[in-house]
Amino acid sequence: MRVKINLSEALGRKKMSQRQLSIQSGIRYPTIQALYHETAKRIEFSHLIKICEILECTPGELFEIIPDTGGGNEDGK
């Protein structure tokens, strides 16, 4: 399984850029970029709360679990 990060869609609904989210939330721009491009390995709860407050969404709207499509081991390799 993997976690899909729907930050791109959430920003699009609010017509907000990554830079604007970074400024409004106080979260470093590289952190926002990593979430946006789904390369982040973790997220601080305080960041999650701030992002959800600004984008007026729930954590469940930002993240979803995608099941494996088969073919690899548990690490997806």
Side-chain angles (χ1 to χ4, degrees):
M1 290 194 288
R2 72 178 188 89
V3 176
K4 177 166 177 24
I5 305 171
N6 298 313
L7 184 57
S8 172
E9 292 87 351
L11 286 171
R13 283 192 298 274
K14 295 297 277 185
K15 295 182 174 39
M16 182 180 288
S17 71
Q18 295 173 58
R19 180 76 60 197
Q20 289 170 314
L21 179 59
S22 174
I23 292 167
Q24 286 187 30
S25 67
I27 299 169
R28 291 173 7 111
Y29 183 67
T31 301
I32 298 296
Q33 277 187 309
L35 290 166
Y36 184 90
H37 292 289
E38 299 188 59
T39 58
K41 301 294 182 198
R42 64 182 179 84
I43 185 170
E44 297 284 335
F45 285 134
S46 60
H47 290 175
L48 179 59
I49 291 166
K50 282 188 177 273
I51 290 169
C52 287
E53 286 174 346
I54 292 166
L55 298 180
E56 299 175 333
C57 66
T58 66
E61 293 170 306
L62 279 182
F63 300 99
E64 62 183 290
I65 302 293
I66 305 295
D68 285 334
T69 56
N73 64 21
E74 290 182 16
D75 293 332
K77 296 178 184 173

